[in-house]
Every structure is written in structure tokens, then in C-alpha cells.
Amino acid sequence: MVSANRGTFSRLGFVLAAAGCAIGLGNIWKFPYRTYEHGGGTFVLVYLGAVILIGAPIMAAEILMGRRTQQSPVGAFLDLAKGITGGKLWSLVGWLGVAAGFMILSYYSVVAGWTVFYVGKCLSWSIGGFAPEQAAALETDFVQGFLQSGTMQISFHGLFMLATMGTVVLGVQAGIERVNKILMPILFIILTFMVIAACFAPGFGEAMSFLFHLGPVDASAILDGVGQAFFSLSLGMGAMITYGSYLSREDSIPRATVMVCGLDTLIALMASVVMFSIIFTVPVAERGDTFSDSAIILFTTLPRLFYGLPGGAIMSPVFYLLVVFAALTSTISLLEVVVAYFIDRLGWSRRKATSIVGAGIFALGVPSALSLGANETLSTMKPIEAAGAGFFSLFDYLATNWMLPVGGLLIAIFAGWFLKSHLTRDELEQGHGPLATPHRIWQWSLRVVVPAAIIWVIAAVIGGKTFT
Ligand code: PFF
């Protein structure tokens, strides 16, 4: 069942919305930390390779499947698998995506809530002054005060879910496209200013040589690079199938793919330049072991460093606002994947789907919100050793290490081997012109290169390597 009026993005609207979906906490928090962990330039290079060889072909495949069928993931698979023996089974991949969207949003919104809290915190520091005692107590305040307060965690998670629902309920153009069209340019402008400011920071030179210095490549950097590409580009769960279903026939899928992959990578690099310039500007003796706890450096180390720098009082609230915007444009897309399923497949109204699904995701996020110290059992549970302790880590582990790579593998196999060549070629050429050779390269990369790379990553996960 396809609802009569699903909505369509304008050309710019699609690029901004899909970039908004991709650009998020993955770029601003995960990417810089991972780059640090893997010694800088080597990881950047591996990541670029993963985006080009694995990410871009899957992104084009997802957008193509969405636009062709004008449906969200479950319907898209059902439609395209018609005539294939056992074709209905493919819709399970769509289901996996809807489930992944539900799960990822439930804990992502908890972290997104922290960013809102920090905009407020930084404003109060910037106005009221940031005393050295506050800097010293920052980590304790965050870990023992904020994270362990169930009320705070649930309130900010709820607030973020409400903002997300408030956008999605307005629909594809009036909600999603409009919010992305406002927030994404602001995000680019703020980040550009911050990069310019970073160029004048004493730590800039060290940051650049760190980011572009090549060292030996180890296997774990390659695995992390692939995992990061999936998460950062929002692939493997049908988010791009859903957004692709709102792409107009006149637009070119290859062009949109290049734009979105390029913008996502650019923002990750820009965020890294800013963060490392700040970090390297502060002398080692003062900054200490900056990355001792990677998950919270954005909230414990960075604010402290900001207030040690000239102009930091202005930059810090603005920086956290930028992170809020990046997170919101991603949570919108996560919710839309699930909401679109209920609208397309069950015929629900957008309002009904948004409120029921949003409430469900909020409820599912509560155990994550309480698993950062507020509730003993939820914080210490460890049903899967590799996932680490706590409900929050368990969800992140299952979604990032399993659902996205498995989803991506199946999407690649389906698009590469099961979709008819004339159909995929026709879609890739719409709004673009003849693409005989690129189409063949794309098809063979989905048939062979992408599955081989993902199977290798999955084998590594089974072998005990985690990349959350
Ligand atoms: N790509 C987002 C980020 O980098 O933060 C996370 C994400 C959003 C993953 C939407 C999956 C998704 F469907």
C-alpha cells in the first residue's frame, strides 16, 4: 500500500536532508576519537577508502531502491523482489532496518540530550565565568552528577524526542526538508568559521600533521574504518531507501550520492581539524591524557579546553549548538524510517504514526538513559561480553556491529545480483545521461567488492573485534 501523497524533496532539499541524516554524532564525536585512537592520517585514509569503495555504492543502491519503488524499506524490498522465488523473505531486510532505526534512535537520543544540556551549561559558564574549580570538577560533575541522575537523563532524552517528533509530524517538505534547509547551512557556516579560527590556533600545525601523517596500517584500523563508514553514512538500515523514496525523478542519483558522501566526509574532517587544533593548543601537561575515556571527551575534556583559549567563551556554546543541530537532523531521519513504515504499510496517518512510534522509542530509551549509573542492574549488565557493560552499550553494539553491516551486506547482494540491470541502469541514468561503464563498475562492486569487505568485517566481529 502506497499512500497517495508521500511528498517529494526539492533537489537541494534532498541533498541537505540526506547530508543531515548522515552528518551527526558519528562525525563530530566518533570520527575524531577513532582517528586519534588509530594514530591519525592512516585512519583517515582507510576511512576515505571505505567511503569510496563500500559506502558510496551502497548509498546509490539504497537511494535507487527507494526512488524506484516510492516506498520505505519493507515495501521497497517486497516490490522489487516480486517474481524472485522466496522473494518475500527479502522484506526481512527492510524489517531489520526498521528495527535498527527504532533501536538506534532510542539511545542516540539520550546522547543527543547531553548536547542540549551542554549548550545550556556553556551559556551559563560563558556568562557567569568558568572558574578553575569548575574545570577540575567537570568530569566528576558529568559522570557522577549528570549521567547518574535518572531524572536528568530521561528529561533530556524526552526533550530531544519531542523536538524530533515535532519535526517529523510536519511531514516531508514542511517538516524534514524545512528543518534541514535551515539547520544544515547554519551548521556549515559555524563549522567553517571554527575551522578558520582553528587555522590561527597554535595547535593547528600539529593537528594537521597528525591528521595527515601516514603510519603503518593495522587490521583493526581497517575494520574500524568500515564500521565507521556505515554508521556515519547512515547505511545498512534503509534510511537512504526511505529518503530516496522522496527523491524526484528528475534528480541524478550518482550526483546526490557523491554530494552526500562528500559532505559527510568533509564535516568529519572539519570537526577533527577544529577539535585537534583545540586539543594540541593546550600544553600536554595541562590537558593530561585527553582521550582516557573516549565516550565522554566531547563533554568532559573539550569544554575545559575551550575555556582556556581566547574566544573560547563564545565558541563553546556555539560549538555545542552545532552538535545539537547535527544530532537533530540525524534523529529526524531515524524516526522517519520507522514512521514511514507505519504510514506506507499500515496506512496510518503521519500524526498517529509519529506519536505512537515516538512514544515507543522514548520508552525504549529509558533503560539506556538509566544505564549510565542511575540504575545498578541496567548499568552493570553484560549479557554479551564484547558489548561491554550496560544496556546502552548493548544496544549500540548490536546495532552498529551487527544490524548495520548485515543489512548493508544484504542490500548490496540484492541490488547487485537480483535487481535487473536495465532497471538499475535506468535509475542511475535518470537526470544524468548515459552511464554504461560506471553502471557496470557500480554493479560489480556491489556483487563482489562490497560483500567481500563486509564479510571480512563480520568475520572479525565474530572473532571478537568490536568497533563501537
Ligand atoms: N549517520 C549518523 C551519525 O553519523 O551520527 C547516525 C545515523 C543516522 C545512523 C541515521 C543511521 C541512520 F539511519
Side-chain angles (χ1 to χ4, degrees):
M1 187 191 318
V2 186
S3 50
N5 184 10
R6 304 186 73 252
T8 315
F9 286 130
S10 69
R11 177 181 292 184
L12 180 67
F14 177 82
V15 169
L16 290 179
C21 159
I23 295 163
L25 297 170
N27 304 57
I28 302 177
W29 161 60
K30 274 192 181 185
F31 183 79
Y33 144 66
R34 288 221 170 133
T35 302
Y36 185 88
E37 192 186 64
H38 291 296
T42 311
F43 182 75
V44 174
L45 198 67
V46 168
Y47 178 75
L48 291 179
V51 168
I52 295 168
L53 288 177
I54 300 173
I58 297 186
M59 186 175 292
E62 287 201 23
I63 300 175
L64 179 157
M65 289 174 65
R67 184 171 71 181
R68 187 72 185 186
T69 58
Q70 301 280 296
Q71 298 225 37
S72 51
V74 175
F77 271 103
L78 278 175
D79 236 33
L80 292 166
K82 270 189 200 132
I84 300 172
T85 337
K88 280 211 159 110
L89 280 177
W90 279 106
S91 64
L92 291 175
V93 184
W95 264 107
L96 186 76
V98 174
F102 208 95
M103 268 177 78
I104 295 178
L105 182 53
S106 75
Y107 67 83
Y108 196 96
S109 156
V110 173
V111 183
W114 303 349
T115 65
V116 176
F117 177 71
Y118 262 73
V119 173
K121 269 249 171 241
C122 288
L123 276 176
S124 74
W125 287 326
S126 296
I127 296 165
F130 188 71
E133 313 85 75
Q134 279 166 315
L138 200 58
E139 186 143 350
T140 328
D141 281 353
F142 182 72
V143 176
Q144 286 168 21
F146 183 58
L147 288 189
Q148 294 192 5
S149 157
T151 321
M152 289 291 249
Q153 291 304 311
I154 293 174
S155 310
F156 279 94
H157 160 55
L159 194 70
F160 217 90
M161 279 308 300
L162 278 179
T164 308
M165 290 159 71
T167 309
V168 169
V169 78
L170 295 176
V172 175
Q173 287 111 339
I176 304 176
E177 174 163 342
R178 197 162 57 175
V179 166
N180 276 288
K181 266 187 166 164
I182 298 169
L183 296 190
M184 291 313 284
I186 298 180
L187 185 143
F188 294 137
I189 294 168
I190 295 178
L191 201 54
T192 305
F193 273 112
M194 295 194 95
V195 170
I196 295 171
C199 292
F200 296 100
F204 178 72
E206 202 183 330
M208 290 308 276
S209 60
F210 174 72
L211 278 174
F212 298 104
H213 163 82
L214 293 185
V217 185
D218 66 1
S220 78
I222 300 182
L223 300 174
D224 277 355
V226 174
Q228 175 67 16
F230 268 102
F231 188 84
S232 188
L233 295 170
S234 308
L235 298 175
M237 52 158 280
M240 292 296 168
I241 298 183
T242 308
Y243 273 18
S245 73
Y246 309 128
L247 178 66
S248 126
R249 289 245 158 257
E250 282 79 55
D251 287 345
S252 149
I253 292 177
R255 206 175 293 138
T257 303
V258 169
M259 289 284 287
V260 175
C261 290
L263 284 173
D264 187 66
T265 308
L266 184 70
I267 296 292
L269 289 175
M270 287 168 79
S272 304
V273 167
V274 171
M275 282 177 69
F276 287 118
S277 298
I278 294 171
I279 287 165
F280 290 134
T281 294
V282 178
V284 182
E286 279 173 46
R287 70 173 187 255
D289 186 4
T290 309
F291 283 82
S292 59
D293 189 349
S294 56
I296 52 172
I297 93 138
L298 195 63
F299 306 99
T300 54
T301 311
L302 207 66
R304 189 158 60 78
L305 301 183
F306 260 127
Y307 286 97
L309 297 176
I314 296 172
M315 294 229 288
S316 87
V318 176
F319 178 80
Y320 286 96
L321 194 65
L322 174 153
V323 188
V324 170
F325 289 175
L328 182 62
T329 51
S330 293
T331 55
I332 289 170
S333 68
L334 285 160
L335 182 58
E336 179 63 17
V337 172
V338 189
V339 163
Y341 167 78
F342 284 92
I343 296 176
D344 288 351
R345 304 299 307 165
L346 303 181
W348 286 13
S349 70
R350 181 166 279 275
R351 181 185 283 261
K352 177 175 168 190
T354 309
S355 38
I356 294 180
V357 170
I361 293 176
F362 168 72
L364 188 66
V366 169
S368 285
L370 296 178
S371 74
L372 303 153
N375 177 287
E376 168 86 28
T377 317
L378 287 169
S379 309
T380 52
M381 63 187 274
K382 210 179 202 180
I384 302 175
E385 191 58 33
F391 191 88
F392 181 106
S393 310
L394 177 70
F395 259 33
D396 191 24
Y397 170 80
L398 289 176
T400 313
N401 285 19
W402 289 100
M403 296 170 104
L404 298 188
V406 170
L409 172 66
L410 295 171
I411 289 169
I413 293 175
F414 183 75
W417 292 100
F418 290 90
L419 291 182
K420 298 258 181 309
S421 291
H422 67 84
L423 178 155
T424 52
R425 189 171 157 188
D426 173 55
E427 276 298 329
L428 289 189
E429 291 181 344
Q430 292 271 349
H432 195 288
L435 284 169
T437 309
H439 174 258
R440 287 212 80 94
I441 296 172
W442 170 80
Q443 195 173 44
W444 280 99
S445 67
L446 285 180
R447 287 179 174 177
V448 181
V449 181
V450 172
I454 300 176
I455 287 170
W456 184 58
V457 173
I458 292 175
V461 172
I462 294 173
K465 170 83 187 77
T466 63
F467 46 92
T468 50

